[in-house]
Amino acid sequence: MKTKFRKFGLPMGVALLAVGGAFASTVSSQSKSVLADRQGHIKVGSTCTPTQITCSNVFNPQMCSDGSNILYDWNGTSCPLPLYKKVTP
């Protein structure tokens, strides 16, 4: 019994470590693409019109606007989420 465990224990541990690393790197790259600069869209009813203004989806107290309208993020079908003013470091 001990011989079988020793024979397969190390390769099994290495395989599990590799799979865990693959999942960790995938989650890391997805979170970076989610938090990024976004093109602002003006929302009028159910219509979303793109603007030339770049906003951020990272929360801060100042909403992104074109001067009179709050700008929203386009998700492919609608504009459900408001965007925030870009903060420069």
Side-chain angles (χ1 to χ4, degrees):
M1 185 74 161
K2 284 186 179 182
T3 321
K4 287 183 181 179
F5 179 73
R6 287 184 184 168
K7 194 174 190 179
F8 295 110
L10 183 60
M12 188 71 85
V14 170
L16 289 173
L17 186 61
V19 169
F23 279 114
S25 66
T26 301
V27 170
S28 169
S29 65
Q30 287 175 349
S31 65
K32 288 179 185 173
S33 65
V34 170
L35 298 176
D37 293 344
R38 304 279 189 225
Q39 180 181 10
H41 290 74
I42 298 171
K43 183 163 93 171
V44 179
S46 61
T47 308
C48 301
T49 307
T51 66
Q52 296 297 319
I53 300 171
T54 304
C55 305
S56 175
N57 62 355
V58 177
F59 176 79
N60 74 57
Q62 295 181 327
M63 302 301 289
C64 188
S65 72
D66 66 350
S68 58
N69 299 304
I70 293 176
L71 301 179
Y72 293 84
D73 190 14
W74 173 254
N75 70 2
T77 57
S78 65
C79 297
L81 301 173
L83 292 172
Y84 305 97
K85 187 174 182 179
K86 283 177 55 175
V87 177
T88 54

